Amino acid sequence: MNQEQWPNPFIEQRADPFILLHEDYYYFIASVPEYDRLEIRCVRTISELPDAQPTVVWRKPNRGPMSELIWAPELHHIDGKWYIYFAATHTQELDQLNMFQHRMFALECADANPLTGKWVEKGQVKTQFDSFCLDATTFKHQGKQWYLWAQKDPDIAGNSNIYLAELETPWAVKGTPVMLSKPELDWECRGFLVNEGPAVVVHGDKLFVSYSASATDENYCIGLLWIDLKADPTQAENWHKSPQPVFVTSYENKQFGPGHNSFTRTKDGKDVLVYHARNYTEIEGDPLYDPNRHTRLKTLEWDENGMPVFGIPPADNR
């Protein structure tokens, strides 16, 4: 599919978009503006997703640790079962440290069809800190299933860093997590000190992790980590970090705060960047509660050195 054939925005008012290609079907899940439910779309082709009817597979309870601000869900298929990872909190109020109190949770569906199957709550995915955490993803690498997420270390300044750990089960980490990145460069520290929203793509002899940085306004942008496929991912020194962001606001194209991406592929094998961005900067109140972070798509190119070329966020075309 040519770049111009994708409408932009692709799906309106869907932030933190995630598209999974599994056995000839495309599955779409994202944050909804109400932050109150998890819904999945399933189609045969990417281009059908905007018109596909979402199926609500889970709604937040009225109280408890998963009762507020349902953020950034991802849908994964692991060892024959479906899993949704998401972040949630017990309150919409900020605590005295001005931090949200999100934790990460997992749902499991053992049925073949995740839209009609039964979803079971597997509880909180616990890590080395009992602190603000979100944006979990998972991937298979070197014969192991890995868990990759963003979390606050009480001893490190900022909102969140990027961590990696092996999974014991799809809802329980194994061993000691390794920190891959923390907000330390200028473009990671605008508005807020943030590294979040990690996503994985493999190309050639490298595994890449993109992540989002800074506040969720026009400062939001995408950074990049990478490692040799044969290197030990649990050793932080094996990871490389781009000194500059790889995908940023385009004032010319009126695309502001591109970020919180995932990756998918066309059926003919082209890598696709899935992300959200706004088309204006005049936000009233907290940017978090502005619903117009729309899902957008862009073909991901590769250079002669096997590095991804994210390019510039394309302008709206509808």
Side-chain angles (χ1 to χ4, degrees), residues 71 99-100 132 134-135 150-152 156-162 181-198 211-217 219-223 241 260:
W71 287 358
M99 283 288 289
F100 287 103
F132 174 73
L134 72 171
D135 295 352
Q151 187 160 14
K152 166 69 177 174
I156 296 178
N159 287 40
S160 56
N161 316 311
I162 303 294
S181 178
K182 65 181 179 181
E184 55 194 340
L185 305 173
D186 170 71
W187 53 270
E188 298 176 299
C189 301
R190 293 175 179 163
F192 294 101
L193 282 67
V194 171
N195 280 183
E196 65 182 18
Y211 64 95
S212 296
S214 288
T216 59
D217 53 18
N219 290 302
Y220 209 50
C221 61
I222 295 178
K241 179 173 179 174
H260 201 114

mmCIF file of all heavy atoms in Angstrom, residues 71 99-100 132 134-135 150-152 156-162 181-198 211-217 219-223 241 260:
data_model
loop_
_atom_site.group_PDB
_atom_site.id
_atom_site.type_symbol
_atom_site.label_atom_id
_atom_site.label_comp_id
_atom_site.label_asym_id
_atom_site.label_seq_id
_atom_site.Cartn_x
_atom_site.Cartn_y
_atom_site.Cartn_z
ATOM 1 N N TRP A 71 -5.071 2.938 30.413
ATOM 2 C CA TRP A 71 -4.137 3.503 29.429
ATOM 3 C C TRP A 71 -3.411 2.437 28.617
ATOM 4 O O TRP A 71 -3.059 1.372 29.119
ATOM 5 C CB TRP A 71 -3.066 4.321 30.152
ATOM 6 C CG TRP A 71 -3.510 5.620 30.706
ATOM 7 C CD1 TRP A 71 -4.734 6.203 30.625
ATOM 8 C CD2 TRP A 71 -2.693 6.525 31.470
ATOM 9 N NE1 TRP A 71 -4.739 7.414 31.282
ATOM 10 C CE2 TRP A 71 -3.507 7.632 31.813
ATOM 11 C CE3 TRP A 71 -1.357 6.512 31.904
ATOM 12 C CZ2 TRP A 71 -3.016 8.717 32.562
ATOM 13 C CZ3 TRP A 71 -0.883 7.576 32.647
ATOM 14 C CH2 TRP A 71 -1.701 8.677 32.965
ATOM 15 N N MET A 99 2.426 12.609 40.970
ATOM 16 C CA MET A 99 2.582 11.473 40.067
ATOM 17 C C MET A 99 1.299 10.647 40.041
ATOM 18 O O MET A 99 0.651 10.454 41.074
ATOM 19 C CB MET A 99 3.728 10.574 40.535
ATOM 20 C CG MET A 99 5.108 11.107 40.233
ATOM 21 S SD MET A 99 5.506 11.020 38.480
ATOM 22 C CE MET A 99 5.703 9.248 38.288
ATOM 23 N N PHE A 100 0.956 10.170 38.874
ATOM 24 C CA PHE A 100 -0.132 9.203 38.788
ATOM 25 C C PHE A 100 0.291 7.921 39.518
ATOM 26 O O PHE A 100 1.476 7.662 39.718
ATOM 27 C CB PHE A 100 -0.471 8.911 37.336
ATOM 28 C CG PHE A 100 -1.194 10.032 36.641
ATOM 29 C CD1 PHE A 100 -0.521 10.873 35.761
ATOM 30 C CD2 PHE A 100 -2.529 10.247 36.876
ATOM 31 C CE1 PHE A 100 -1.176 11.912 35.127
ATOM 32 C CE2 PHE A 100 -3.208 11.293 36.236
ATOM 33 C CZ PHE A 100 -2.530 12.120 35.365
ATOM 34 N N PHE A 132 4.866 3.992 39.984
ATOM 35 C CA PHE A 132 4.204 4.340 38.721
ATOM 36 C C PHE A 132 4.809 3.554 37.565
ATOM 37 O O PHE A 132 6.026 3.592 37.339
ATOM 38 C CB PHE A 132 4.366 5.841 38.490
ATOM 39 C CG PHE A 132 3.865 6.332 37.164
ATOM 40 C CD1 PHE A 132 2.511 6.416 36.904
ATOM 41 C CD2 PHE A 132 4.757 6.740 36.184
ATOM 42 C CE1 PHE A 132 2.047 6.897 35.685
ATOM 43 C CE2 PHE A 132 4.313 7.213 34.961
ATOM 44 C CZ PHE A 132 2.952 7.290 34.713
ATOM 45 N N LEU A 134 3.758 1.718 33.405
ATOM 46 C CA LEU A 134 2.791 1.699 32.306
ATOM 47 C C LEU A 134 3.463 1.238 31.021
ATOM 48 O O LEU A 134 4.657 0.974 30.974
ATOM 49 C CB LEU A 134 2.183 3.096 32.095
ATOM 50 C CG LEU A 134 3.040 4.203 31.491
ATOM 51 C CD1 LEU A 134 2.163 5.430 31.183
ATOM 52 C CD2 LEU A 134 4.196 4.630 32.370
ATOM 53 N N ASP A 135 2.660 1.129 29.957
ATOM 54 C CA ASP A 135 3.156 0.959 28.583
ATOM 55 C C ASP A 135 3.910 -0.350 28.375
ATOM 56 O O ASP A 135 4.960 -0.391 27.716
ATOM 57 C CB ASP A 135 4.037 2.137 28.182
ATOM 58 C CG ASP A 135 3.290 3.444 28.124
ATOM 59 O OD1 ASP A 135 2.057 3.428 28.252
ATOM 60 O OD2 ASP A 135 3.937 4.488 27.953
ATOM 61 N N ALA A 150 7.707 0.887 30.951
ATOM 62 C CA ALA A 150 8.190 2.146 31.515
ATOM 63 C C ALA A 150 7.808 2.199 32.990
ATOM 64 O O ALA A 150 6.685 1.841 33.361
ATOM 65 C CB ALA A 150 7.576 3.333 30.782
ATOM 66 N N GLN A 151 8.761 2.674 33.834
ATOM 67 C CA GLN A 151 8.482 2.716 35.264
ATOM 68 C C GLN A 151 9.334 3.765 35.963
ATOM 69 O O GLN A 151 10.454 4.073 35.550
ATOM 70 C CB GLN A 151 8.738 1.346 35.906
ATOM 71 C CG GLN A 151 8.316 1.273 37.371
ATOM 72 C CD GLN A 151 8.105 -0.141 37.864
ATOM 73 O OE1 GLN A 151 8.505 -1.103 37.225
ATOM 74 N NE2 GLN A 151 7.445 -0.282 39.003
ATOM 75 N N LYS A 152 8.791 4.304 37.041
ATOM 76 C CA LYS A 152 9.479 5.261 37.886
ATOM 77 C C LYS A 152 10.393 4.536 38.870
ATOM 78 O O LYS A 152 9.945 3.638 39.590
ATOM 79 C CB LYS A 152 8.446 6.097 38.651
ATOM 80 C CG LYS A 152 8.985 6.923 39.817
ATOM 81 C CD LYS A 152 9.842 8.055 39.363
ATOM 82 C CE LYS A 152 10.297 8.901 40.556
ATOM 83 N NZ LYS A 152 11.260 9.938 40.154
ATOM 84 N N ILE A 156 15.651 7.866 40.815
ATOM 85 C CA ILE A 156 16.050 8.528 39.566
ATOM 86 C C ILE A 156 15.047 9.636 39.255
ATOM 87 O O ILE A 156 13.840 9.418 39.292
ATOM 88 C CB ILE A 156 16.123 7.522 38.398
ATOM 89 C CG1 ILE A 156 17.231 6.487 38.669
ATOM 90 C CG2 ILE A 156 16.378 8.230 37.068
ATOM 91 C CD1 ILE A 156 17.357 5.428 37.603
ATOM 92 N N ALA A 157 15.556 10.807 38.955
ATOM 93 C CA ALA A 157 14.681 11.942 38.646
ATOM 94 C C ALA A 157 13.835 11.646 37.414
ATOM 95 O O ALA A 157 14.279 10.969 36.487
ATOM 96 C CB ALA A 157 15.520 13.193 38.421
ATOM 97 N N GLY A 158 12.615 12.174 37.407
ATOM 98 C CA GLY A 158 11.767 12.030 36.234
ATOM 99 C C GLY A 158 10.586 11.109 36.465
ATOM 100 O O GLY A 158 10.395 10.536 37.539
ATOM 101 N N ASN A 159 9.773 10.978 35.413
ATOM 102 C CA ASN A 159 8.549 10.188 35.498
ATOM 103 C C ASN A 159 8.775 8.702 35.310
ATOM 104 O O ASN A 159 8.213 7.877 36.016
ATOM 105 C CB ASN A 159 7.540 10.671 34.452
ATOM 106 C CG ASN A 159 6.929 11.995 34.812
ATOM 107 O OD1 ASN A 159 7.605 12.886 35.312
ATOM 108 N ND2 ASN A 159 5.638 12.145 34.563
ATOM 109 N N SER A 160 9.583 8.319 34.293
ATOM 110 C CA SER A 160 9.715 6.900 33.988
ATOM 111 C C SER A 160 10.937 6.621 33.140
ATOM 112 O O SER A 160 11.382 7.458 32.343
ATOM 113 C CB SER A 160 8.460 6.377 33.277
ATOM 114 O OG SER A 160 8.185 7.131 32.111
ATOM 115 N N ASN A 161 11.466 5.410 33.307
ATOM 116 C CA ASN A 161 12.581 4.882 32.526
ATOM 117 C C ASN A 161 12.103 3.641 31.784
ATOM 118 O O ASN A 161 11.011 3.130 32.048
ATOM 119 C CB ASN A 161 13.743 4.517 33.457
ATOM 120 C CG ASN A 161 14.015 5.575 34.509
ATOM 121 O OD1 ASN A 161 14.126 6.751 34.181
ATOM 122 N ND2 ASN A 161 14.085 5.160 35.770
ATOM 123 N N ILE A 162 12.915 3.117 30.873
ATOM 124 C CA ILE A 162 12.566 1.918 30.113
ATOM 125 C C ILE A 162 13.279 0.711 30.716
ATOM 126 O O ILE A 162 14.500 0.735 30.912
ATOM 127 C CB ILE A 162 12.962 2.064 28.627
ATOM 128 C CG1 ILE A 162 12.296 3.288 28.008
ATOM 129 C CG2 ILE A 162 12.596 0.792 27.851
ATOM 130 C CD1 ILE A 162 10.797 3.224 27.910
ATOM 131 N N SER A 181 17.088 2.648 29.314
ATOM 132 C CA SER A 181 17.193 4.080 29.031
ATOM 133 C C SER A 181 16.499 4.869 30.123
ATOM 134 O O SER A 181 15.508 4.409 30.708
ATOM 135 C CB SER A 181 16.565 4.405 27.669
ATOM 136 O OG SER A 181 16.624 5.788 27.391
ATOM 137 N N LYS A 182 17.020 6.067 30.384
ATOM 138 C CA LYS A 182 16.350 7.016 31.272
ATOM 139 C C LYS A 182 16.379 8.381 30.600
ATOM 140 O O LYS A 182 17.238 8.647 29.739
ATOM 141 C CB LYS A 182 17.035 7.075 32.634
ATOM 142 C CG LYS A 182 18.458 7.609 32.592
ATOM 143 C CD LYS A 182 19.079 7.619 33.980
ATOM 144 C CE LYS A 182 20.516 8.131 33.915
ATOM 145 N NZ LYS A 182 21.158 8.137 35.255
ATOM 146 N N PRO A 183 15.443 9.278 30.942
ATOM 147 C CA PRO A 183 15.441 10.612 30.349
ATOM 148 C C PRO A 183 16.637 11.422 30.835
ATOM 149 O O PRO A 183 16.751 11.728 32.019
ATOM 150 C CB PRO A 183 14.109 11.212 30.806
ATOM 151 C CG PRO A 183 13.696 10.404 31.992
ATOM 152 C CD PRO A 183 14.289 9.054 31.833
ATOM 153 N N GLU A 184 17.544 11.722 29.920
ATOM 154 C CA GLU A 184 18.780 12.436 30.274
ATOM 155 C C GLU A 184 19.179 13.471 29.228
ATOM 156 O O GLU A 184 19.926 14.402 29.529
ATOM 157 C CB GLU A 184 19.920 11.424 30.455
ATOM 158 C CG GLU A 184 20.111 10.527 29.232
ATOM 159 C CD GLU A 184 20.981 9.320 29.529
ATOM 160 O OE1 GLU A 184 21.740 9.363 30.523
ATOM 161 O OE2 GLU A 184 20.908 8.330 28.759
ATOM 162 N N LEU A 185 18.695 13.316 27.999
ATOM 163 C CA LEU A 185 19.018 14.256 26.929
ATOM 164 C C LEU A 185 17.967 15.365 26.882
ATOM 165 O O LEU A 185 16.829 15.171 27.322
ATOM 166 C CB LEU A 185 19.102 13.526 25.590
ATOM 167 C CG LEU A 185 20.088 12.348 25.565
ATOM 168 C CD1 LEU A 185 19.979 11.573 24.265
ATOM 169 C CD2 LEU A 185 21.514 12.843 25.785
ATOM 170 N N ASP A 186 18.321 16.491 26.326
ATOM 171 C CA ASP A 186 17.430 17.649 26.320
ATOM 172 C C ASP A 186 16.049 17.321 25.779
ATOM 173 O O ASP A 186 15.027 17.684 26.365
ATOM 174 C CB ASP A 186 18.070 18.779 25.501
ATOM 175 C CG ASP A 186 17.094 19.919 25.249
ATOM 176 O OD1 ASP A 186 16.785 20.643 26.209
ATOM 177 O OD2 ASP A 186 16.630 20.062 24.108
ATOM 178 N N TRP A 187 16.000 16.608 24.667
ATOM 179 C CA TRP A 187 14.722 16.334 24.007
ATOM 180 C C TRP A 187 13.890 15.281 24.744
ATOM 181 O O TRP A 187 12.722 15.070 24.406
ATOM 182 C CB TRP A 187 14.952 15.911 22.558
ATOM 183 C CG TRP A 187 15.925 14.762 22.396
ATOM 184 C CD1 TRP A 187 17.281 14.859 22.227
ATOM 185 C CD2 TRP A 187 15.617 13.367 22.385
ATOM 186 N NE1 TRP A 187 17.831 13.598 22.128
ATOM 187 C CE2 TRP A 187 16.832 12.679 22.218
ATOM 188 C CE3 TRP A 187 14.431 12.635 22.498
ATOM 189 C CZ2 TRP A 187 16.907 11.283 22.162
ATOM 190 C CZ3 TRP A 187 14.500 11.247 22.447
ATOM 191 C CH2 TRP A 187 15.729 10.583 22.280
ATOM 192 N N GLU A 188 14.457 14.631 25.765
ATOM 193 C CA GLU A 188 13.721 13.685 26.586
ATOM 194 C C GLU A 188 13.144 14.343 27.846
ATOM 195 O O GLU A 188 12.435 13.691 28.606
ATOM 196 C CB GLU A 188 14.641 12.546 27.036
ATOM 197 C CG GLU A 188 15.220 11.713 25.905
ATOM 198 C CD GLU A 188 16.197 10.674 26.445
ATOM 199 O OE1 GLU A 188 17.217 11.066 27.057
ATOM 200 O OE2 GLU A 188 15.940 9.471 26.249
ATOM 201 N N CYS A 189 13.476 15.610 28.035
ATOM 202 C CA CYS A 189 13.193 16.263 29.321
ATOM 203 C C CYS A 189 12.407 17.555 29.161
ATOM 204 O O CYS A 189 12.466 18.428 30.031
ATOM 205 C CB CYS A 189 14.512 16.544 30.038
ATOM 206 S SG CYS A 189 15.499 15.065 30.347
ATOM 207 N N ARG A 190 11.686 17.705 28.067
ATOM 208 C CA ARG A 190 10.922 18.930 27.839
ATOM 209 C C ARG A 190 9.524 18.795 28.438
ATOM 210 O O ARG A 190 8.766 17.930 28.047
ATOM 211 C CB ARG A 190 10.850 19.234 26.344
ATOM 212 C CG ARG A 190 12.230 19.585 25.779
ATOM 213 C CD ARG A 190 12.239 19.770 24.285
ATOM 214 N NE ARG A 190 13.591 20.117 23.823
ATOM 215 C CZ ARG A 190 13.985 20.023 22.569
ATOM 216 N NH1 ARG A 190 13.145 19.604 21.633
ATOM 217 N NH2 ARG A 190 15.219 20.352 22.241
ATOM 218 N N GLY A 191 9.219 19.649 29.386
ATOM 219 C CA GLY A 191 7.935 19.550 30.087
ATOM 220 C C GLY A 191 8.011 18.565 31.235
ATOM 221 O O GLY A 191 7.766 18.908 32.381
ATOM 222 N N PHE A 192 8.298 17.328 30.893
ATOM 223 C CA PHE A 192 8.506 16.281 31.899
ATOM 224 C C PHE A 192 9.702 15.433 31.480
ATOM 225 O O PHE A 192 10.023 15.341 30.295
ATOM 226 C CB PHE A 192 7.271 15.377 32.029
ATOM 227 C CG PHE A 192 6.058 16.077 32.566
ATOM 228 C CD1 PHE A 192 5.053 16.499 31.708
ATOM 229 C CD2 PHE A 192 5.907 16.297 33.928
ATOM 230 C CE1 PHE A 192 3.928 17.148 32.193
ATOM 231 C CE2 PHE A 192 4.782 16.945 34.424
ATOM 232 C CZ PHE A 192 3.793 17.367 33.562
ATOM 233 N N LEU A 193 10.332 14.794 32.456
ATOM 234 C CA LEU A 193 11.409 13.845 32.165
ATOM 235 C C LEU A 193 10.768 12.484 31.942
ATOM 236 O O LEU A 193 10.352 11.808 32.894
ATOM 237 C CB LEU A 193 12.411 13.791 33.328
ATOM 238 C CG LEU A 193 13.434 14.927 33.442
ATOM 239 C CD1 LEU A 193 12.764 16.259 33.783
ATOM 240 C CD2 LEU A 193 14.488 14.585 34.489
ATOM 241 N N VAL A 194 10.688 12.068 30.669
ATOM 242 C CA VAL A 194 9.892 10.883 30.321
ATOM 243 C C VAL A 194 10.614 10.007 29.303
ATOM 244 O O VAL A 194 11.113 10.497 28.285
ATOM 245 C CB VAL A 194 8.526 11.302 29.733
ATOM 246 C CG1 VAL A 194 7.777 10.095 29.174
ATOM 247 C CG2 VAL A 194 7.680 12.004 30.784
ATOM 248 N N ASN A 195 10.675 8.724 29.589
ATOM 249 C CA ASN A 195 10.891 7.655 28.601
ATOM 250 C C ASN A 195 9.741 6.686 28.793
ATOM 251 O O ASN A 195 9.553 6.145 29.896
ATOM 252 C CB ASN A 195 12.208 6.915 28.836
ATOM 253 C CG ASN A 195 13.440 7.632 28.310
ATOM 254 O OD1 ASN A 195 14.546 7.105 28.385
ATOM 255 N ND2 ASN A 195 13.279 8.838 27.788
ATOM 256 N N GLU A 196 8.945 6.443 27.744
ATOM 257 C CA GLU A 196 7.772 5.574 27.870
ATOM 258 C C GLU A 196 7.411 5.001 26.508
ATOM 259 O O GLU A 196 8.066 5.271 25.500
ATOM 260 C CB GLU A 196 6.589 6.351 28.458
ATOM 261 C CG GLU A 196 6.086 7.483 27.568
ATOM 262 C CD GLU A 196 4.949 8.286 28.179
ATOM 263 O OE1 GLU A 196 4.749 8.215 29.405
ATOM 264 O OE2 GLU A 196 4.257 9.002 27.419
ATOM 265 N N GLY A 197 6.361 4.189 26.476
ATOM 266 C CA GLY A 197 5.823 3.678 25.224
ATOM 267 C C GLY A 197 6.791 2.892 24.361
ATOM 268 O O GLY A 197 6.850 3.118 23.155
ATOM 269 N N PRO A 198 7.557 1.940 24.907
ATOM 270 C CA PRO A 198 8.504 1.201 24.075
ATOM 271 C C PRO A 198 7.806 0.287 23.073
ATOM 272 O O PRO A 198 6.715 -0.238 23.331
ATOM 273 C CB PRO A 198 9.311 0.390 25.093
ATOM 274 C CG PRO A 198 8.368 0.193 26.242
ATOM 275 C CD PRO A 198 7.568 1.466 26.318
ATOM 276 N N TYR A 211 10.899 4.494 21.567
ATOM 277 C CA TYR A 211 10.220 4.904 22.794
ATOM 278 C C TYR A 211 9.856 6.374 22.665
ATOM 279 O O TYR A 211 10.388 7.097 21.813
ATOM 280 C CB TYR A 211 11.105 4.669 24.023
ATOM 281 C CG TYR A 211 12.371 5.488 24.047
ATOM 282 C CD1 TYR A 211 12.434 6.709 24.723
ATOM 283 C CD2 TYR A 211 13.508 5.056 23.374
ATOM 284 C CE1 TYR A 211 13.593 7.476 24.728
ATOM 285 C CE2 TYR A 211 14.679 5.808 23.376
ATOM 286 C CZ TYR A 211 14.711 7.016 24.050
ATOM 287 O OH TYR A 211 15.856 7.779 24.047
ATOM 288 N N SER A 212 8.941 6.832 23.505
ATOM 289 C CA SER A 212 8.496 8.222 23.457
ATOM 290 C C SER A 212 9.067 9.000 24.630
ATOM 291 O O SER A 212 9.325 8.433 25.692
ATOM 292 C CB SER A 212 6.971 8.294 23.456
ATOM 293 O OG SER A 212 6.461 7.693 22.269
ATOM 294 N N ALA A 213 9.271 10.300 24.418
ATOM 295 C CA ALA A 213 9.944 11.125 25.408
ATOM 296 C C ALA A 213 9.286 12.495 25.527
ATOM 297 O O ALA A 213 8.624 12.956 24.597
ATOM 298 C CB ALA A 213 11.420 11.287 25.040
ATOM 299 N N SER A 214 9.480 13.124 26.679
ATOM 300 C CA SER A 214 8.997 14.474 27.014
ATOM 301 C C SER A 214 7.481 14.506 27.245
ATOM 302 O O SER A 214 6.810 13.473 27.227
ATOM 303 C CB SER A 214 9.433 15.496 25.963
ATOM 304 O OG SER A 214 10.833 15.743 26.072
ATOM 305 N N ALA A 215 6.952 15.711 27.447
ATOM 306 C CA ALA A 215 5.534 15.878 27.751
ATOM 307 C C ALA A 215 4.670 15.525 26.544
ATOM 308 O O ALA A 215 5.147 15.516 25.401
ATOM 309 C CB ALA A 215 5.262 17.322 28.184
ATOM 310 N N THR A 216 3.371 15.282 26.783
ATOM 311 C CA THR A 216 2.492 14.785 25.722
ATOM 312 C C THR A 216 1.916 15.888 24.843
ATOM 313 O O THR A 216 0.937 15.671 24.137
ATOM 314 C CB THR A 216 1.343 13.958 26.320
ATOM 315 O OG1 THR A 216 0.598 14.778 27.229
ATOM 316 C CG2 THR A 216 1.871 12.744 27.052
ATOM 317 N N ASP A 217 2.540 17.068 24.849
ATOM 318 C CA ASP A 217 2.133 18.139 23.935
ATOM 319 C C ASP A 217 3.020 18.093 22.691
ATOM 320 O O ASP A 217 3.455 17.020 22.281
ATOM 321 C CB ASP A 217 2.208 19.491 24.640
ATOM 322 C CG ASP A 217 3.575 19.745 25.280
ATOM 323 O OD1 ASP A 217 4.557 19.062 24.910
ATOM 324 O OD2 ASP A 217 3.660 20.622 26.159
ATOM 325 N N ASN A 219 5.982 18.723 22.372
ATOM 326 C CA ASN A 219 7.339 18.262 22.693
ATOM 327 C C ASN A 219 7.500 16.746 22.596
ATOM 328 O O ASN A 219 8.622 16.246 22.536
ATOM 329 C CB ASN A 219 7.721 18.701 24.117
ATOM 330 C CG ASN A 219 7.921 20.195 24.213
ATOM 331 O OD1 ASN A 219 8.744 20.761 23.506
ATOM 332 N ND2 ASN A 219 7.154 20.845 25.076
ATOM 333 N N TYR A 220 6.396 16.037 22.602
ATOM 334 C CA TYR A 220 6.431 14.564 22.544
ATOM 335 C C TYR A 220 7.131 14.131 21.269
ATOM 336 O O TYR A 220 6.900 14.677 20.181
ATOM 337 C CB TYR A 220 5.000 14.049 22.565
ATOM 338 C CG TYR A 220 4.795 12.695 23.183
ATOM 339 C CD1 TYR A 220 5.305 12.374 24.433
ATOM 340 C CD2 TYR A 220 4.032 11.727 22.528
ATOM 341 C CE1 TYR A 220 5.068 11.135 25.014
ATOM 342 C CE2 TYR A 220 3.785 10.490 23.098
ATOM 343 C CZ TYR A 220 4.311 10.191 24.341
ATOM 344 O OH TYR A 220 4.064 8.959 24.907
ATOM 345 N N CYS A 221 8.001 13.124 21.372
ATOM 346 C CA CYS A 221 8.773 12.673 20.218
ATOM 347 C C CYS A 221 9.212 11.237 20.447
ATOM 348 O O CYS A 221 9.005 10.668 21.518
ATOM 349 C CB CYS A 221 9.977 13.584 19.990
ATOM 350 S SG CYS A 221 11.146 13.621 21.382
ATOM 351 N N ILE A 222 9.838 10.651 19.423
ATOM 352 C CA ILE A 222 10.259 9.252 19.487
ATOM 353 C C ILE A 222 11.776 9.160 19.464
ATOM 354 O O ILE A 222 12.438 9.780 18.621
ATOM 355 C CB ILE A 222 9.647 8.435 18.329
ATOM 356 C CG1 ILE A 222 8.120 8.378 18.483
ATOM 357 C CG2 ILE A 222 10.219 7.024 18.282
ATOM 358 C CD1 ILE A 222 7.404 7.630 17.371
ATOM 359 N N GLY A 223 12.318 8.383 20.398
ATOM 360 C CA GLY A 223 13.738 8.068 20.440
ATOM 361 C C GLY A 223 13.968 6.619 20.033
ATOM 362 O O GLY A 223 13.017 5.863 19.793
ATOM 363 N N LYS A 241 21.981 3.994 22.045
ATOM 364 C CA LYS A 241 20.899 4.973 22.128
ATOM 365 C C LYS A 241 21.180 6.118 21.165
ATOM 366 O O LYS A 241 22.289 6.676 21.159
ATOM 367 C CB LYS A 241 20.799 5.499 23.564
ATOM 368 C CG LYS A 241 19.714 6.548 23.800
ATOM 369 C CD LYS A 241 19.621 6.853 25.291
ATOM 370 C CE LYS A 241 18.586 7.902 25.614
ATOM 371 N NZ LYS A 241 18.398 8.087 27.070
ATOM 372 N N HIS A 260 4.132 7.536 21.065
ATOM 373 C CA HIS A 260 3.553 6.287 21.554
ATOM 374 C C HIS A 260 3.194 5.353 20.404
ATOM 375 O O HIS A 260 2.043 5.081 20.111
ATOM 376 C CB HIS A 260 2.347 6.507 22.449
ATOM 377 C CG HIS A 260 2.115 5.288 23.310
ATOM 378 N ND1 HIS A 260 2.265 5.307 24.673
ATOM 379 C CD2 HIS A 260 1.846 4.007 22.975
ATOM 380 C CE1 HIS A 260 2.059 4.069 25.135
ATOM 381 N NE2 HIS A 260 1.803 3.265 24.121
#
